[in-house]
Amino acid sequence: MNPKKLNYAIIVLVIYFLNGNAHSQLEVGFYTYSCGMAEFIVKDEVRKSFNKNPGIAAGLGCDASVLLDSTLSNIAEKDSPANKPSLRGFEVIDNAKAKLEEECKGIVSCADIVAFAARDSVELAGGLGYDVPAGRRDGKISLASDTRTELPPPTFNVNQLTQLFAKKGLTQDEMVTLSGAHTIGRSHCSAFSKRLYNFSSTSIQDPSLDPSYAALLKRQCPQGNTNQNLVVPMDPSSPGTADVGYYNDILANRGLFTSDQTLLTNTGTARKVHQNARNPYLWSNKFADAMVKMGQVGVLTGNAGEIRTNCRVVNS
């Protein structure tokens, strides 16, 4: 994988949101007897990619529906404006799937590979490892239009974020916790340039943005820039490490997105930002728990869906 072409998605909140809000019948050790090496194979592929480019950690965290390629009759999620060109890391999943098909053909779903890879990337970036309940099945539909309602854009305010997470059965505390995924990775200039050059009718620059940080961002993302490969770290102090630097940045008015800085505009979320910034171990544990919970939202199990042979296309 060419590191120069690898972008750093908003992990955006680490696992892609799905329709539905019911927990499903998943279990830790699901592949113990059917494909005992499954999690080791995935972790090995993630580690190899991470060693080449630590930024890959931020790109590994999406639902398997986003792995499907577009067809002549359908624009898939990966090609939606919300994801392209920011979403990367597909090659890691492809490589893991190929190895798993050699080891135990037709057993491990792409959805579970993604869930394992998200966990492994967080751990390799310095976060806590955690057990991943598995048993997901792969969906057969991927629609670019779904990203407009299922993904929180970087312009959302705290109320919009809270409502979107609540629809998925996630609390406001879990929303603040999962927002900490922005501690790793990079963002395209287009995701926040309005805060620098065209914030409102009364203010060219977002007044909540630290002036010195804004000046730095303007140097990194000049007005009128059209280079889609230009990116900046979301957590400048430690862009490749899963730590609480993200929350310290917010407290210093250096949150990159509106959806980051907005966490200080609500008493409850601001309290959680302070709490997480003071207690890295608490945040790491809460993040692991929230990832497990979010990884069970709206998944397919049992006889639903399929086990894809190739994560990029549905089975024929």
Side-chain angles (χ1 to χ4, degrees), residues 169-187:
L170 297 164
T171 67
Q172 189 178 72
D173 183 19
E174 289 166 334
M175 179 270 288
V176 177
T177 298
L178 290 167
S179 294
H182 288 179
T183 184
I184 54 177
R186 303 180 183 181
S187 168

Side-chain angles (χ1 to χ4, degrees), residues 59-306:
L60 292 175
C62 53
D63 171 64
S65 63
V66 84
L67 302 176
L68 288 171
D69 288 339
S70 294
T71 65
L72 292 176
S73 60
N74 177 62
I75 300 176
E77 292 175 35
K78 65 166 61 172
D79 292 320
S80 72
N83 285 329
K84 190 176 183 179
S86 62
L87 202 57
R88 293 294 186 271
F90 301 116
E91 295 88 347
V92 180
I93 305 301
D94 290 339
N95 293 341
K97 180 61 173 176
K99 294 288 179 61
L100 286 166
E101 286 298 295
E102 293 175 2
E103 178 75 15
C104 36
K105 186 176 179 63
I107 298 297
V108 183
S109 69
C110 298
D112 277 340
I113 294 173
V114 169
F116 294 146
R119 182 266 315 276
D120 298 337
S121 64
V122 169
E123 186 175 8
L124 287 167
L128 289 182
Y130 51 91
D131 291 332
V132 175
R136 298 167 184 80
R137 305 270 293 181
D138 297 321
K140 300 180 181 181
I141 300 174
S142 180
L143 301 174
S145 58
D146 285 346
T147 61
R148 292 196 293 267
T149 58
E150 300 302 321
L151 280 178
T155 56
F156 260 21
N157 62 40
V158 68
N159 291 331
Q160 291 170 314
L161 290 170
T162 300
Q163 291 168 10
L164 180 61
F165 277 73
K167 289 179 181 177
K168 308 303 174 183
L170 297 164
T171 67
Q172 189 178 72
D173 183 19
E174 289 166 334
M175 179 270 288
V176 177
T177 298
L178 290 167
S179 294
H182 288 179
T183 184
I184 54 177
R186 303 180 183 181
S187 168
H188 284 96
C189 298
S190 58
F192 57 86
S193 60
K194 186 175 181 179
R195 299 186 71 198
L196 302 176
Y197 302 113
N198 187 30
F199 182 66
S200 70
S201 60
T202 58
S203 178
I204 294 177
Q205 182 175 298
D206 186 344
S208 71
L209 194 59
D210 173 66
S212 62
Y213 184 46
L216 172 63
L217 292 174
K218 286 180 177 179
R219 291 194 296 272
Q220 295 173 318
C221 298
Q223 189 171 17
N225 164 67
T226 58
N227 181 1
Q228 291 190 335
N229 293 319
L230 192 59
V231 293
V232 301
M234 290 192 284
D235 176 7
S237 61
S238 55
T241 305
D243 58 21
V244 296
Y246 165 80
Y247 298 103
N248 289 316
D249 286 341
I250 291 176
L251 293 175
N253 294 322
R254 294 166 69 91
L256 185 61
F257 306 129
T258 298
S259 59
D260 296 325
Q261 202 60 47
T262 190
L263 297 181
L264 287 188
T265 65
N266 173 281
T267 302
T269 57
R271 185 184 305 115
K272 295 302 180 181
V273 169
H274 281 275
Q275 182 185 65
N276 292 337
R278 290 194 305 266
N279 196 328
Y281 186 69
L282 173 65
W283 171 74
S284 293
N285 277 280
K286 287 167 55 180
F287 186 80
D289 290 342
M291 285 289 287
V292 170
K293 182 176 178 179
M294 186 164 63
Q296 298 183 68
V297 174
V299 300
L300 300 176
T301 58
N303 294 320
E306 63 183 12

